[in-house]
Amino acid sequence: MQYQKYFQDISAYPIVYLKFIGDPTIDEEYIYDKENKLLTLRCEDDYLNLPNKVFCFFQAVSKLFPKVTNVVKMDDDVIVNLKNLNDL
C-alpha cells in the first residue's frame, strides 16, 4: 500500500526501494527478488527479534549494493515525500 501511494514516481529519483521480511527456514543468508523488490532474510520475523532483523537487513544491503552510501529504513506506515527523501 505504501508503494502504491507514495512510490509511483520513484523512477525519477536515484532511489532503490525494497521491502524485507524474515524467514528462518531459508538456506541462504538472504534471497533478493529484484522483480518484486523483496529481500527475504534468514531470521525470525517477529517483534522480539526486530533488532536482529534490521541488522540482517543492513548486512544484506551492504553486500547487494556495495556502492550505496545512504540507507533509510522505514516502516510501512510512514508517509513518504520522494523529493524530500532524495534531497536528504
Side-chain angles (χ1 to χ4, degrees):
M1 203 162 151
Q2 182 186 46
Y3 183 83
Q4 293 171 343
K5 197 167 187 180
Y6 304 113
F7 289 95
Q8 290 303 304
D9 297 326
I10 196 165
S11 62
Y13 299 94
I15 296 172
V16 176
Y17 168 84
L18 57 100
K19 305 168 289 273
F20 67 100
I21 59 172
D23 181 351
T25 66
I26 63 173
D27 293 329
E28 299 86 358
E29 184 179 343
Y30 60 85
I31 300 169
Y32 180 47
D33 178 350
K34 188 174 183 177
E35 184 177 322
N36 292 306
K37 301 181 182 338
L38 179 64
L39 178 62
T40 304
L41 308 163
R42 186 179 58 216
C43 66
E44 296 290 337
D45 195 358
D46 60 8
Y47 188 74
L48 183 62
N49 291 289
L50 183 58
N52 183 55
K53 180 179 158 187
V54 172
F55 177 74
C56 292
F57 165 75
F58 281 109
Q59 282 186 313
V61 166
S62 69
K63 292 175 186 172
L64 286 166
F65 307 100
K67 295 185 181 199
V68 170
T69 57
N70 300 300
V71 178
V72 175
K73 184 263 182 215
M74 63 182 75
D75 289 339
D76 59 356
D77 60 349
V78 172
I79 296 170
V80 181
N81 179 311
L82 283 174
K83 183 187 176 320
N84 288 349
L85 181 61
N86 184 64
D87 291 347
L88 177 68

